[in-house]
Amino acid sequence: GSPHRWIVPLSEAADCPEDLVGGKAAKLARLMRAGFTVPGGFCITTAAYEHFVTANGLTACIAMELGRKSLEGMRWEELWDAALRIRGEFLRAEVPRAISAEIRQALAEHAGDDAVAVRSSAPGEDSGRMSFAGLHESVVGPKGVSAVLDAVQTVWSSLWSDAALL
């Protein structure tokens, strides 16, 4: 495979660091390993997200939007506007071919032509200190590579909602 892990089957996620697959995937993988019934699937790793951000120059966009003043000093409307602009850039960006090719292959192996659910699994998303339940988008029902890639970008962009920033 790739020196970077863009995709990890859920069945292997229990052996991966949580900062690569996120808390939700790590917990589901441990449940699967313990014999609980868990829908099959795969994780698109934080390495894939970071490559997407870097390849599309989104770091500079985020820095510009959130660097105008301290987050504490921003009025809610300013935060909302900044979040909207960041999310727009995420949705206009393109998933790098190396990642989309691996997603295509993983979909063929795990879902075929069936509809899937695309959900966030950020590191520390549901820690003992805070819960992000319901904060990040989930997209239920996309079928096919194009719809799934759009759903992935929707979920990734939701990391930059005004609610998430707050």
Side-chain angles (χ1 to χ4, degrees):
S2 165
H4 302 285
R5 294 204 68 183
W6 307 136
I7 302 292
V8 173
L10 194 54
S11 59
E12 296 173 22
D15 298 321
C16 293
E18 195 170 306
D19 66 353
L20 183 69
V21 296
K24 188 177 294 154
K27 287 176 182 77
L28 286 172
R30 289 196 291 273
L31 285 170
M32 185 183 274
R33 184 169 281 171
F36 289 87
T37 302
V38 174
F42 58 93
C43 305
I44 302 169
T45 65
T46 55
Y49 168 81
E50 289 164 5
H51 181 56
F52 168 80
V53 167
T54 304
N56 285 289
L58 296 170
T59 307
C61 164
I62 293 163
M64 183 185 75
E65 291 297 342
L66 299 182
R68 298 178 199 274
K69 53 168 87 167
S70 74
L71 282 178
E72 297 78 26
M74 282 184 157
R75 293 189 331 274
W76 179 81
E77 297 85 356
E78 293 172 308
L79 198 59
W80 189 84
D81 285 343
L84 194 62
R85 286 190 294 268
I86 292 169
R87 288 196 323 274
E89 290 300 317
F90 267 73
L91 295 173
R92 277 189 290 281
E94 197 164 311
V95 176
R97 190 170 286 127
I99 296 170
S100 62
E102 287 195 26
I103 291 173
R104 178 185 313 275
Q105 182 179 340
L107 277 171
E109 290 171 14
H110 294 277
D113 295 325
D114 292 340
V116 299
V118 179
R119 308 206 49 211
S120 69
S121 178
E125 185 170 44
D126 293 315
S127 67
R129 288 190 353 235
M130 62 182 74
S131 170
F132 287 84
L135 195 56
H136 302 312
E137 289 278 339
S138 290
V139 182
V140 178
K143 287 182 172 186
V145 178
S146 179
V148 169
L149 289 173
D150 286 347
V152 167
Q153 284 181 253
T154 297
V155 171
W156 281 347
S157 76
S158 76
L159 297 172
W160 299 99
S161 70
D162 53 314
L165 291 175
L166 283 169

